[in-house]
Amino acid sequence: MEKLIVASNNKGKIAEIKAILSDMYDVRSLKEENIVSDPEETGVTFAENAVIKAKAVYELTGIATLADDSGLVVDALGGAPGVQSAR
């Protein structure tokens, strides 16, 4: 079975992805693979930041990598804090 790394340290997110994809891939977390990766998320969208994270891990390992980026988008705040949620 092909390995797939989830570029996240969020245990809940990793568990959800494993539940969805474990019948097709050997889904592994950064911790399980002993990978330390914390690239600067300079994207202006969640998708751009997810790509930054996935590419960083792929460049370290050469293994297919999946990343997700999310945050709070509040209509009453004009979409803020958006991609700045974690910061």
Side-chain angles (χ1 to χ4, degrees), residues 57-72:
V57 172
Y58 179 78
E59 288 172 3
L60 287 172
T61 66
I63 298 170
T65 304
L66 174 73
D68 173 62
D69 194 57
S70 59
L72 299 172

Side-chain angles (χ1 to χ4, degrees), residues 6-14 29-31 35-38:
V6 178
S8 177
N9 289 307
N10 181 309
K11 291 178 184 179
K13 189 177 291 187
I14 293 164
S29 69
L30 295 175
K31 184 176 181 178
I35 298 168
V36 176
S37 179
D38 191 22

Side-chain angles (χ1 to χ4, degrees), residues 8-29:
S8 177
N9 289 307
N10 181 309
K11 291 178 184 179
K13 189 177 291 187
I14 293 164
E16 287 180 16
I17 292 170
K18 282 186 176 194
I20 295 167
L21 297 177
S22 63
D23 60 331
M24 295 179 283
Y25 299 96
D26 177 15
V27 180
R28 310 286 292 175
S29 69

Side-chain angles (χ1 to χ4, degrees), residues 41-49 69-73 79-87:
E41 296 177 29
T42 56
V44 296
T45 67
F46 296 124
E48 288 175 0
N49 283 337
D69 194 57
S70 59
L72 299 172
V73 176
V83 295
Q84 302 297 319
S85 297
R87 297 181 207 110

